Amino acid sequence: MFYEICIYEVKIDREEEFEELIKEVGDFYRSCPGVQDVKYIKRTHRQKDFEAVKNGEPPIRLTRKVGKITYVLYWELENEEIHGKICKIGFEKDFIKRFHRCLTTMPRIILGEEIR
């Protein structure tokens, strides 16, 4: 398996536009052969502190947006060749331009293979 984890920092005033875009992109990825799983996650909680973690306390829901909203892509594919082919098609569909319009900075992309 091959994986991509991508961390996006989204402008607050582009939240709705970004969420519509990731629905579209997620549907596109899921329709491609060789894609095993696609999930987009929105950061909605934080830990109070390490002591709270040790005590098994639940995380705290975020109540305000300060400067940006964090999203994460979890993408699981059969191999890196499929990743490359799908990314090329994504560029041709102009997903990248639409993503960049919503972001405060370049996304952090982590690519790799599973450790067993």
Side-chain angles (χ1 to χ4, degrees), residues 12 73 102:
I12 291 172
L73 163 65
C102 298

Side-chain angles (χ1 to χ4, degrees):
M1 288 295 165
F2 189 76
Y3 300 87
E4 177 176 330
I5 306 294
C6 192
I7 302 168
Y8 303 100
E9 302 294 348
V10 175
K11 298 172 187 171
I12 291 172
D13 63 339
R14 298 287 184 154
E15 175 182 17
E16 190 174 306
E17 178 182 351
F18 186 80
E19 290 187 10
E20 287 300 316
L21 175 59
I22 60 177
K23 288 176 189 173
E24 181 182 341
V25 172
D27 289 343
F28 165 72
Y29 285 161
R30 286 181 202 93
S31 73
C32 296
V35 173
Q36 302 299 308
D37 198 6
V38 178
K39 289 184 175 63
Y40 281 95
I41 302 157
K42 180 178 184 178
R43 182 175 182 240
T44 58
H45 291 74
R46 69 171 180 81
Q47 293 294 341
K48 180 178 175 186
D49 55 33
F50 189 67
E51 199 62 35
V53 174
K54 285 179 17 183
N55 294 333
E57 296 176 28
I60 299 168
R61 179 170 285 281
L62 300 175
T63 57
R64 58 191 175 117
K65 300 168 189 164
V66 181
K68 62 187 178 189
I69 304 165
T70 302
Y71 293 82
V72 177
L73 163 65
Y74 169 84
W75 192 15
E76 183 178 329
L77 306 103
E78 287 179 9
N79 57 51
E80 60 267 25
E81 286 82 18
I82 290 170
H83 180 272
K85 288 176 185 176
I86 295 172
C87 285
K88 182 180 186 294
I89 296 168
F91 268 98
E92 292 166 354
K93 288 181 158 290
D94 265 350
F95 289 145
I96 300 303
K97 283 183 185 176
R98 293 168 61 197
F99 269 107
H100 286 287
R101 186 173 49 237
C102 298
L103 303 179
T104 63
T105 186
M106 292 295 291
R108 181 155 184 237
I109 302 171
I110 303 165
L111 301 171
E113 298 172 340
E114 181 179 2
I115 299 172
R116 294 181 182 202

